[in-house]
């Protein structure tokens, strides 16, 4: 059999597009070139393009997601490796589009992607299954804001977050009541929906979960120690944090949080790689959020967990592709 044509989708329309380009670049470098023809596809608001090694851009035909290469041959990918963070690749839009075209993709299906991308809706679903979560309060842009009611429900300190965003864009930790309205305005710069949550006190950890055939596997747990007040953009991507793998937690806590991450993966009917965040408070894991297209750049958590598990990125990415083309 000949090589499979794999499109690596990267970019997106959100503040995270530069991080996504880095993730996509790592995937392109790591995929086994003996098995796959790899095509970097930049999906940006300015246009969709296959970007050849020499920098030449070939437009993607949105009717069938096809594109030409240097030999002027039209290519329809056998599968898409989705590395887009944020809209339209992590919130279900592209997943639905690829499903309609019959092109397999490595990320969660469109409904699961949309649900998990919306923090409010995801928490509402998981709470009904007994998943522990922080107290939360929701605000939509244009509605009246009752600061006293927010503090009564969430207490202080609290986190103010865009409801549908990633990479910690627009997030603030608020320690005093006077800081809530400015934090809400900052979050509204990223989204029209805001979620405000109690600031839990404990160890922050991250757990990648993936599927290998019919087996669902949790990767080693990463402990996140931010030099800043919380795990913000600078801590995530500019080296202002320690990401310690394996986490410095007890064997019992490791076992509990890995089992909870796998349970959430199953409850949400995920596929591909998903990374869930927790705060372990008094030995119990409190769910924060899950990412269906987690970062795969050299600074990202999942690649570190993969290496700790004894795999190369080439081996790991091959599993994700084989899951959808077999």
């Amino acid at each position: 059999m000949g090589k499979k044509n794999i499109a690596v989708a990267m970019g997106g329309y959100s503040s995270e597009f530069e991080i996504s380009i880095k993730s996509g670049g790592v995937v392109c470098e790591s995929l086994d070139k003996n098995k796959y023809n790899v095509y970097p596809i930049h999906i940006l608001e300015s246009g969709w393009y296959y970007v050849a090694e020499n920098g030449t851009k070939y437009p993607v035909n949105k009717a069938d997601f096809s594109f030409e290469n240097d030999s002027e041959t039209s290519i329809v990918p056998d599968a898409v490796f989705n590395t887009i963070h944020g809209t339209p690749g992590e919130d279900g839009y592209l997943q639905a589009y690829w499903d309609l075209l019959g092109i397999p993709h490595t990320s969660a299906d469109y409904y699961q992607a949309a649900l998990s991308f919306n923090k409010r809706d995801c928490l509402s679903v998981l709470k009904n299954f007994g998943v522990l979560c922080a107290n939360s309060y929701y605000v939509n842009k244009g509605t009246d804001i009752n600061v006293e009611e927010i503090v009564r429900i969430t207490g202080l300190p609290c986190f103010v977050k865009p409801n549908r965003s990633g990479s910690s864009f627009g997030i603030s930790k608020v320690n005093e009541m006077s800081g809530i309205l400015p934090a809400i305005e900052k979050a509204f710069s990223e989204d029209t929906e805001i979620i405000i949550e109690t600031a839990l006190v404990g160890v922050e950890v991250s757990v990648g979960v993936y599927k290998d055939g019919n087996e669902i596997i949790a990767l080693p747990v990463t402990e996140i120690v931010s030099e800043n007040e919380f795990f913000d953009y600078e801590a995530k991507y500019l080296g202002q944090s320690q990401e310690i793998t394996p986490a410095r937690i007890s064997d019992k806590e490791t076992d509990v949080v890995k089992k909870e991450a796998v349970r959430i993966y199953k409850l949400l009917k995920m596929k591909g790689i998903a990374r869930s965040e927790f705060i372990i408070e008094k030995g119990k894991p409190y769910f924060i959020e899950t990412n269906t297209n987690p970062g795969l750049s050299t600074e990202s958590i999942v690649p570190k967990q993969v290496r700790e598990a004894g795999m190369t990125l080439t081996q790991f990415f091959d599993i994700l592709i084989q899951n959808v083309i077999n």
Side-chain angles (χ1 to χ4, degrees), residues 37-53:
N37 297 313
V38 180
Y39 299 95
I41 305 296
H42 290 205
I43 293 180
L44 305 169
E45 288 184 290
S46 58
W48 295 13
Y49 301 98
Y50 157 52
V51 181
E53 284 189 26

Side-chain angles (χ1 to χ4, degrees), residues 40-322:
I41 305 296
H42 290 205
I43 293 180
L44 305 169
E45 288 184 290
S46 58
W48 295 13
Y49 301 98
Y50 157 52
V51 181
E53 284 189 26
N54 62 7
T56 303
K57 294 180 179 179
Y58 298 89
V60 172
N61 182 350
K62 295 180 182 179
D64 59 3
F65 204 61
S66 66
F67 48 89
E68 291 186 352
N69 63 7
D70 296 333
S71 62
E72 299 185 358
T73 302
S74 183
I75 294 167
V76 176
D78 294 299
V80 177
F81 197 116
N82 182 8
T83 68
I84 294 176
H85 314 317
T87 193
E90 198 170 9
D91 54 4
Y93 285 101
L94 282 173
Q95 290 88 330
Y97 162 73
W98 289 321
D99 286 348
L100 286 170
L101 293 177
I103 300 174
H105 55 86
T106 58
S107 49
D109 289 327
Y110 68 93
Y111 174 74
Q112 286 76 10
L115 175 65
S116 59
F117 194 71
N118 188 305
K119 297 181 180 73
R120 176 189 65 193
D121 294 354
C122 188
L123 291 171
S124 298
V125 168
L126 291 175
K127 282 178 182 178
N128 284 321
F129 288 99
V131 174
L132 297 176
C133 308
N135 293 335
S136 54
Y137 186 95
Y138 309 117
V139 179
N140 291 331
K141 197 166 190 176
T143 59
D144 293 333
I145 298 170
N146 187 329
V147 173
E148 288 77 12
E149 185 181 11
I150 291 170
V151 172
R152 180 179 62 80
I153 291 173
T154 67
L156 290 169
C158 63
F159 283 103
V160 179
K161 308 176 182 180
N163 187 43
R164 299 164 297 182
S165 182
S167 296
S168 297
F169 285 109
I171 296 181
S172 301
K173 186 176 182 181
V174 178
N175 295 298
E176 298 178 358
M177 190 178 290
S178 60
I180 288 180
L181 288 178
I184 287 174
E185 286 306 309
K186 178 181 176 181
F188 276 146
S189 69
E190 291 290 332
D191 194 7
T192 59
E193 299 174 6
I194 301 301
I195 180 170
I196 304 167
E197 293 179 316
T198 301
L200 297 167
V201 179
V203 179
E204 184 171 356
V205 297
S206 183
V207 189
V209 178
Y210 69 101
K211 203 169 185 178
D212 185 357
N214 293 320
E215 187 179 6
I216 297 173
I217 302 166
L219 290 166
V221 180
T222 296
E223 177 185 352
I224 298 164
V225 183
S226 177
E227 295 174 9
N228 301 338
E229 195 166 10
F230 65 97
F231 195 45
D232 58 9
Y233 179 88
E234 286 76 16
K236 282 185 177 178
Y237 299 108
L238 301 181
Q240 296 175 17
S241 68
Q242 288 180 279
E243 295 165 7
I244 302 163
T245 310
R248 300 170 301 180
I249 56 179
S250 69
D251 290 346
K252 181 179 179 182
E253 288 171 331
T254 298
D255 185 58
V256 168
V257 77
K258 288 175 78 170
K259 284 181 177 175
E260 189 70 345
V262 167
R263 183 167 84 99
I264 288 167
Y265 188 99
K266 291 178 179 177
L267 287 172
L268 296 176
K269 297 182 179 178
M270 291 294 181
K271 72 172 194 177
I273 174 70
R275 196 192 74 219
S276 291
E277 321 295 336
F278 300 87
I279 300 288
I280 299 177
E281 186 176 79
K282 297 178 181 177
K284 295 181 178 179
Y286 285 78
F287 174 77
I288 306 299
E289 64 178 352
T290 194
N291 302 278
T292 56
N293 279 0
L296 298 173
S297 68
T298 53
E299 300 92 351
S300 300
I301 291 171
V302 166
K304 297 173 183 176
Q305 295 180 346
V306 167
R307 288 190 287 269
E308 181 65 25
M311 283 184 288
T312 65
L313 290 180
T314 298
Q315 291 169 326
F316 181 66
F317 295 156
D318 189 58
I319 290 169
L320 301 184
I321 291 174
Q322 291 300 315

